Amino acid sequence: MGVTQRVAGGVTYRHYDIETPRGMTHGHLVTVDLGAPGVSVGLLYPSVVGARATVSSLANSAGAVAGVNGDFFNISEAQHPGVSPTYAPVGPAVAQGRALKAAVPRKQRFGPSLPSGTSPEDVLGVDTTGRARLDRLRLDGAFTTPDGTVKLHGLNQYALKVGSVGAFTPDWGSRSRLRATCGSDTSRGAPCSEDTHEVAVRGGEVVKTTDVPGSGRVPEGTTVLVGREEGAGRLRKLSVGDAVTVRHRLVPSVADVSYRFAIGGFPVLRGGAPLAGLDTAASAVRTAVGIAGGGRKLLLFAVDGATAYRKGLTVAELARVLRDAGAEDGFNLDGGGSTTLATRAAGASKASVRNHPTDGSERMVANGIGVFAAE
């Protein structure tokens, strides 16, 4: 049965036991009525893509009544000595209708293997009509020079496809852009490319070029193009003063849909049915979000990380738990030490953590889902 508490109008919090073949675990569930007056959800993130913060601090700085951690992210770089992690998330991200980033290549992901038929471009989003849905967001971008147009394969991403060019905007932050040229299309741990080039574009013309991707905040009104291998060769043809225009957008797979919020992860439940081939062996502490009521309700779910419950759920079990909670579609987010769910308690002005994180305290994460509501 569990215990249910009101967080705000249209938002409730419940925690309850869940039986598994390995024993009892414990779930934390925030139910969000997107049709309730004043209720909405949005992306929690530390103002730029390449940064991290705790869920509770993100929720409280944004004025959210509840929040949960989000996408998997570039948490470490042990395989690339001297290269700093960017802390940037894996998948696409949209905040307040603005595209912040696109998805990294499949083999450059952090997190478990993707289920069959899913993609790094998969997102859970809420469109401009207030409806939640699962979708894919594909990067459509290019830069044009007097010699022609070149396709972009990245937007504020910590990893680029071999031979490609990616764009970095002020939304990226100040983390080094060098990581984008490391790894390969088949291995995240492959060496960094020795053939790179970077070009800064402002006001429709090149203002700076260098062979080594840099760091530091990209100035407002500036786009930095980073290339590796063939992409680096394309950029080397440009000189300061050359005319260059850059465009980029994220395109949904559903026509005529615009998102005010979207976050990366991967689907585990569609139309009330778990995806075929979901993992049934590896159990862990997990975070997920479900869609119910034809897209008018969101279910934010987190497994407790206390020692007594740490055996957690398999991905297949997670899909069933979301379905049992009323979800029609389900979406897996980052888990383990990242799993954090926070809400405001009755009479409180700030959100506090409700689950027990496995690290004993909150881990700083790249982003999350925030719930906003009138009191």
Side-chain angles (χ1 to χ4, degrees):
M1 293 293 293
V3 177
T4 302
Q5 303 169 5
R6 179 185 182 275
V7 176
V11 184
T12 60
Y13 161 68
R14 180 165 74 103
H15 62 95
Y16 58 105
D17 288 334
I18 301 169
E19 292 186 13
T20 78
R22 298 165 304 284
M24 194 72 71
T25 191
H26 200 70
H28 300 262
L29 182 71
V30 172
T31 300
V32 185
D33 182 356
L34 294 173
V39 174
S40 64
V41 297
L43 188 74
L44 297 179
Y45 73 110
S47 77
V48 294
V49 170
R52 59 177 179 167
T54 63
V55 170
S56 63
S57 67
L58 290 171
N60 289 322
S61 63
V65 300
V68 72
N69 67 288
D71 198 359
F72 300 91
F73 61 102
N74 174 208
I75 192 171
S76 65
E77 281 302 326
Q79 294 167 307
H80 301 122
V83 177
S84 301
T86 66
Y87 307 122
V90 166
V94 175
Q96 297 181 328
R98 189 172 81 255
L100 296 180
K101 70 175 300 291
V104 302
R106 189 182 190 99
K107 293 296 184 178
Q108 291 265 25
R109 294 178 58 257
F110 283 77
S113 298
L114 292 176
S116 176
T118 65
S119 163
E121 296 176 343
D122 283 315
V123 297
L124 177 138
V126 174
D127 64 27
T128 52
T129 71
R131 179 188 173 191
R133 60 173 78 218
L134 301 185
D135 202 347
R136 286 184 181 172
L137 292 178
R138 173 182 58 84
L139 176 63
D140 174 26
F143 67 95
T144 300
T145 75
D147 292 332
T149 298
V150 179
K151 182 178 180 179
L152 287 176
H153 285 89
L155 172 62
N156 293 329
Q157 296 169 205
Y158 68 78
L160 294 172
K161 178 182 176 182
V162 171
S164 71
V165 176
F168 290 82
T169 73
D171 284 325
W172 170 252
S174 60
R175 304 299 297 183
S176 171
R177 297 177 290 276
L178 178 62
R179 173 59 184 86
T181 62
C182 299
S184 72
D185 297 343
T186 58
S187 172
R188 191 180 73 206
C192 300
S193 175
E194 296 182 356
D195 183 6
T196 64
H197 200 72
E198 179 175 281
V199 168
V201 177
R202 183 169 64 245
E205 67 177 34
V206 175
V207 294
K208 184 179 179 181
T209 70
T210 181
D211 276 336
V212 180
S215 60
R217 193 70 178 261
V218 176
E220 290 298 324
T222 301
T223 299
V224 174
L225 300 175
V226 174
R228 55 180 299 178
E229 297 90 29
E230 292 88 344
R234 293 271 194 164
L235 294 181
R236 281 197 193 92
K237 296 178 181 179
L238 298 173
S239 302
V240 171
D242 285 351
V244 176
T245 58
V246 184
R247 64 167 183 85
H248 46 73
R249 62 178 182 139
L250 295 180
V251 180
S253 63
V254 181
D256 300 322
V257 172
S258 296
Y259 288 96
R260 65 187 188 200
F261 152 74
I263 196 167
F266 60 83
V268 295
L269 183 73
R270 288 188 185 275
L275 270 64
L278 293 180
D279 183 74
T280 60
S283 59
V285 172
R286 301 188 187 278
T287 306
V289 57
I291 299 174
R296 299 304 177 184
K297 284 189 177 181
L298 274 185
L299 310 174
L300 310 184
F301 176 80
V303 173
D304 201 283
T307 303
Y309 306 122
R310 200 167 292 176
K311 291 181 180 178
L313 300 171
T314 67
V315 176
E317 289 169 343
L318 177 68
R320 292 194 291 270
V321 166
L322 291 174
R323 182 184 60 190
D324 292 345
E328 297 139 9
D329 298 320
F331 199 69
N332 185 76
L333 300 169
D334 192 8
S338 297
T339 292
T340 312
L341 184 144
T343 76
R344 289 186 187 176
S349 61
K350 293 185 176 182
S352 56
V353 179
R354 295 303 190 109
N355 65 310
H356 296 88
T358 60
D359 294 345
S361 60
E362 285 186 84
R363 174 184 289 176
M364 292 193 291
V365 297
N367 60 21
I369 301 172
V371 181
F372 303 88
E375 295 299 322

